[in-house]
Amino acid sequence: VQEGGHYAVPVPQLKYATISVKIRTRSSNGLVLYVGRYGGGYDYLLVYLAGDRLGVRYSLGDTSSGPATLLLDKKVADRKWHVMTISLYKKQVSLKLDECHDGAGQS
């Protein structure tokens, strides 16, 4: 995907999945991946860059508490290749970067 672009993957439900993506960027902020339906009100998972760091914002089911967010410490806007793996199991999400930087949360 070129700078300023993103990749969207529509799916009917986000309950059990593993998504692995290889990324390389020099941008400090932006959208990397959106999984879900357009129009809001549905389960979704959004991967983004914020201040050179990789983050995930998601809502998987109960929306009364609002969406959950994970933000990793490692900077990725270094023009090097990184492997990002996101695992979904019911309302739990884990994010792994380069097999060593983990984040986990629950929606």
Side-chain angles (χ1 to χ4, degrees):
V1 177
Q2 294 181 359
E3 186 171 340
H6 67 279
Y7 185 69
V9 180
V11 292
Q13 288 186 336
L14 294 174
K15 298 296 178 208
Y16 309 98
T18 299
I19 302 166
S20 235
V21 178
K22 197 171 186 181
I23 61 171
R24 181 174 73 172
T25 184
R26 64 177 181 205
S27 298
S28 300
N29 301 292
L31 179 63
V32 176
L33 176 73
Y34 176 82
V35 181
R37 297 182 192 175
Y38 290 107
Y42 300 100
D43 295 350
Y44 70 91
L45 182 131
L46 172 68
V47 181
Y48 62 94
L49 289 166
D52 295 335
R53 297 170 24 197
L54 196 61
V56 176
R57 183 177 174 98
Y58 59 95
S59 179
L60 304 173
D62 181 20
T63 57
S64 61
S65 61
T69 302
L70 300 171
L71 190 61
L72 297 183
D73 291 331
K74 182 178 180 187
K75 292 188 177 186
V76 296
D78 55 9
R79 297 183 186 202
K80 295 179 183 175
W81 284 105
H82 298 279
V83 177
M84 169 190 73
T85 303
I86 302 166
S87 298
L88 309 166
Y89 178 74
K90 295 185 180 178
K91 295 182 182 181
Q92 297 177 343
V93 172
S94 67
L95 173 62
K96 185 175 280 194
L97 182 67
D98 298 331
E99 299 297 321
C100 60
H101 294 276
D102 293 319
Q106 185 167 335
S107 170

